[in-house]
Every structure is written in structure tokens, then in C-alpha cells.
Amino acid sequence: MPAIKKTTKRSLLVTSAALLSLSLTAAPVVADDEPSPSTTPSATPPADMSTVGGARLGLPGTQADLGSGAPVLPKDVTARSWIVTDAESGDVLASHNAHWRLPPASTLKMLFADTLLPKFPRTERHKVAVADLADLGEGSSLVGIKEDETYTVHDLWLGVFLRSGNDAVHVLSAMNGGVAQTVEQMQAHAEDLQALDTHVVTPDGYDEKGQVSSAYDLSLFARSGLQKKDFREYCSTVRAKFPGETKKDKKGKVSRESFEIQNTNRLLTGDSDISTYQGIAGVKNGNTTNAGATFTGVAERNGKVLLVTVMNPEKHEHNEVYKEAAQLLDWGFKAAGKVTPVGELVPPKSAGTSTQAGSTPSGGPSSGASAAGKGATSPVAASAGAKDGTSGVGTALAVVGGLLVLLAGGAFLVNRRWPLPDLVRRRR
């Protein structure tokens, strides 16, 4: 397919929370997406895959069109499927089996969040019933929600994004009318986004027969979700306080302390064998027996915003999915402007006639075409403030003129219309 024309000036950058220097305290949680008993999918991609976004994206193997001066692709990337895209224009810079339908693990929570985030104000409170936590898969990742305790919607979303808590997903699903209705709405939203490789069976990404997505679709979910201020905030938050269990002492005094939770995205937090990635601002990771390790990330450098999705590296080393994602991002930043796109991230079906449902960021103004035509770039801070209990002790957020300054030295401006449908309308 022909290369997509670039927009005249990109004002959008992504936002990220301040990276704090606190160590994680002990918390009653289970590791992110503990593998569930299942079988490993075939290691051979199908010969006939979807061509949404371009004919080359439906071909098996690596797709890239390197121009003069473009760096070669990293040779030690072992993922069954991956894709590197320009988050703003939608250009696919390179891909490998982009439409291979594979189990997504907790990266499917991006679709869950993009579907449900607009439904409940963050201050709404909910008392957890026994039924809310029914049917959690064995070995599910948990944030530590307790029955008969009350949580705010804000608390629950922190549990979803930071600890990949299936318990938080099930509580929000219960508030939304139940798991079945939530799954139905997620499937409908996926179809509107033209994520046609995706079949939703569970809202949390837990391994179930028939539940699949693709690197292409996961990138669509991330790109859509990142239009929302709350989504950007939660996926980029490194550490937060989460409400614990209410206790009564011998004198009858009732108290409820909180414990600290940390994001399981190692490109945000770093680890023993991997550093925090320069410019990282989210998005979501996962790991199950069927899916292996999966990851979608967004990062910004020098005004360029890239998305990367990596699914199931064949090399089973510690943090391998993050290492391969970092290599692909490094390549993408060096290759930008030196490659011919091999496809595009398509706009939602609804973007052709009206603003995408839920595309206005929560807390932000309407993103009409007239405002976009004036090039409005009103920045807002998208980190959770101390009043929400998401800032770490000893480090302050510096917000000046809407600029969020990171401890890592990077900074991200937030455009309230990011990046669809207005950029698509103007490009057309």
C-alpha cells in the first residue's frame, strides 16, 4: 500500500508519571499473570492472515522497506509476532507476523480499559460483594481486593494497570453489569476499532479456549486508549498506594491502612537485568502459559512517538519480552524517516462519520474538528497527584505550564485529542 502522508506538524507527545526512587513494600499480591494450565500454540504462522492496514501485513515473516541510511533490524528478536508503528501518523515502520492470532494475556486489559474507563467517575465508590470475585481463574494475578471492603473506581483502575489485577477487572465488570456483558461490549469495541483478529472470551486476558488477538490489534487498543487522559495516567504510573483490609483492635478502634503497589511493566520500573527505558510512558504487559510473555509499549524521543507490540519471544530468558521491545523501539527511533511504511494502523469505523465514542479524554474537552483545525495543544498533567495516593514519599511532581518533568530527564506534553480521529480527518 502507498506510504501515508505525514501531517504538517505533530503537537502530540505522550504523558508519563514521575519515576520515583522508593522500593516496593510487601503486598498481598500474586505475580502478574501466573501461567494457567494449558497448551502452547503452534509456532508456525498461518499462510493466510488478515490484510487490515495493508496487504504486506497479512504476509508471514518480517516486513520492512529500508531506505538509504536506515539501520538494519535487530537480529536477535525471537518473538513470534511484533510490530513497530508511529503512534501519531499510524505508519507501520516494520512488522513480523503482525496479524498472527495469538493468546494476548493481560495486554487484553488495554481493550477492557478502553471500553470501560468512560463509564464510571474515578471517585465512585463500590463495596465488593462475594459474587464480584466469582470465577477468577486459578493462579490469576491479584492486587489484593477483599470482600465487603469499599474501593473507589480510581483504586480499582490502579489495581488493573499496575498489578494487572484480575480481581479488580472482575469487580469493575460486576459494576458494568457482569462479565458476559463486559465481554460483549469489549468485542463490539474491538470491531469498531477494526481489530478483527480479536476474539474476547474473558475481560482480563486469562487463558481460555478461543481467546486471541494480534500484535496489530493490541497496537490499535493502545492507540485508542492513549487518547484518554485517565488511560495515559494509569498506564504510566510507577507506584501507588492501595487500600488494605479494615481491621479492629482490642479496644474496638477501626483502622484501614494502605500498602504500596508497583507497576509490573519493567521498562517503566527497571529490574536487575534491565534499565528503565528512556522516554517510556506505558502501556501494558502480560504473561500466561498459552500466550507466553506479551507487551505493548509507547515511548517518546525528540518529538517522535512510537508504539511497539511484542508477542511470545521464543527465547525464554528473564525479561526477554522487554529486552526485545526495547531493541525494536531503539531501531524505530533511528529508522524514523528512513523507511517506507509497510502498512498503517487504521482508524475506527466510527471515525469516518463522527468522533470515536470515548475518544475525548476523561476530564478533557470535546475534540471537535474545528478545534483541531486551530491546532489547539492545551497540555494537561496526567500523573496521579498526592491527594490520590499515587505519588511516592520524598519526591515531588514538578508541573509547570502543563509540562510534566520526569526524574529520568524526559518530558511529555499532552494533547487532548490523541491521535484519532482528528488527525485522520485532516490527513484525508
Side-chain angles (χ1 to χ4, degrees):
M1 62 172 288
I4 303 170
K5 295 181 180 178
K6 300 188 180 297
T7 54
T8 57
K9 184 178 181 181
R10 296 173 180 170
S11 61
L12 168 73
L13 304 177
V14 292
T15 189
S16 178
L19 302 180
L20 308 177
S21 58
L22 297 176
S23 61
L24 178 64
T25 58
V29 296
V30 177
D32 175 57
D33 289 330
E34 285 292 335
S36 59
S38 190
T39 57
T40 302
S42 169
T44 304
D48 184 20
M49 292 182 283
S50 169
T51 57
V52 171
R56 290 187 65 176
L57 300 182
L59 299 176
T62 301
Q63 307 301 318
D65 192 352
L66 307 183
S68 176
V72 297
L73 285 159
K75 298 183 183 302
D76 54 348
V77 174
T78 67
R80 292 184 177 182
S81 175
W82 56 260
I83 188 169
V84 182
T85 60
D86 184 312
E88 294 177 284
S89 70
D91 292 347
V92 178
L93 305 185
S95 69
H96 181 77
N97 301 325
H99 279 293
W100 191 357
R101 303 180 78 196
L102 296 167
S106 277
T107 48
L108 192 65
K109 289 183 173 80
M110 294 187 295
L111 175 61
F112 172 77
D114 193 36
T115 304
L116 262 65
L117 261 171
K119 294 179 178 288
F120 308 107
R122 60 195 290 152
T123 55
E124 183 175 336
R125 301 175 68 83
H126 177 77
K127 186 175 181 179
V128 176
V130 174
D132 295 351
L133 299 175
D135 300 323
L136 281 172
E138 182 180 354
S140 285
S141 51
L142 306 171
V143 67
I145 289 174
K146 303 296 183 184
E147 298 166 3
D148 297 322
E149 294 284 5
T150 298
Y151 301 86
T152 65
V153 167
H154 175 67
D155 295 329
L156 296 172
W157 283 119
L158 287 171
V160 170
F161 277 92
L162 273 67
R163 293 302 309 179
S164 203
N166 289 4
D167 48 357
V169 169
H170 278 248
V171 172
L172 285 163
S173 296
M175 294 174 63
N176 188 53
V179 167
Q181 179 166 299
T182 298
V183 166
E184 183 179 344
Q185 292 173 0
M186 289 171 64
Q187 188 67 55
H189 187 44
E191 291 169 5
D192 178 63
L193 294 175
Q194 301 198 61
L196 305 184
D197 299 322
T198 298
H199 178 64
V200 184
V201 179
T202 69
D204 50 27
Y206 189 84
D207 282 341
E208 290 288 352
K209 184 178 180 180
Q211 180 150 273
V212 291
S213 190
S214 66
Y216 184 89
D217 284 10
L218 294 176
S219 296
L220 289 179
F221 301 153
R223 193 178 189 220
S224 178
L226 285 163
Q227 294 177 80
K228 299 175 176 64
K229 176 176 176 258
D230 285 352
F231 189 104
R232 296 192 301 267
E233 172 193 323
Y234 291 129
C235 78
S236 62
T237 298
V238 178
R239 293 180 178 88
K241 295 295 185 182
F242 194 83
E245 191 172 1
T246 300
K247 296 181 179 179
K248 184 184 293 186
D249 62 19
K250 295 180 180 180
K251 297 182 179 180
K253 184 178 179 181
V254 176
S255 63
R256 189 183 188 189
E257 297 182 352
S258 60
F259 56 88
E260 189 173 82
I261 57 175
Q262 178 175 271
N263 203 310
T264 54
N265 175 356
R266 298 309 179 199
L267 291 191
L268 269 176
T269 64
D271 203 359
S272 59
D273 60 343
I274 191 169
S275 301
T276 299
Y277 189 81
Q278 180 187 350
I280 193 69
V283 175
K284 191 70 189 75
N285 56 300
N287 197 325
T288 64
T289 299
N290 265 4
T294 60
F295 176 69
T296 297
V298 63
E300 181 272 343
R301 286 187 190 174
N302 301 319
K304 177 67 65 177
V305 187
L306 297 183
L307 275 169
V308 64
T309 295
V310 176
M311 301 186 76
N312 200 347
E314 298 286 355
K315 188 188 296 182
H316 298 295
E317 294 186 3
H318 186 54
N319 289 326
E320 181 64 24
V321 72
Y322 304 109
K323 295 173 183 176
E324 297 192 9
Q327 289 184 70
L328 289 169
L329 283 171
D330 285 344
W331 174 85
F333 286 120
K334 293 175 183 176
K338 301 175 183 177
V339 298
T340 300
V342 295
E344 67 167 330
L345 295 180
V346 295
K349 293 178 183 178
S350 56
T353 55
S354 62
T355 300
Q356 177 192 354
S359 63
T360 300
S362 50
S366 174
S367 55
S370 60
K374 296 177 182 179
T377 58
S378 302
V380 295
S383 65
K387 65 182 180 180
D388 295 320
T390 57
S391 293
V393 179
T395 307
L397 284 176
V399 183
V400 180
L403 192 65
L404 179 61
V405 181
L406 303 183
L407 296 182
F412 304 97
L413 294 173
V414 182
N415 187 299
R416 298 188 184 206
R417 295 169 310 281
W418 188 84
L420 294 173
D422 295 310
L423 289 179
V424 172
R425 285 208 191 101
R426 282 182 280 166
R427 189 165 69 238
R428 288 176 173 175

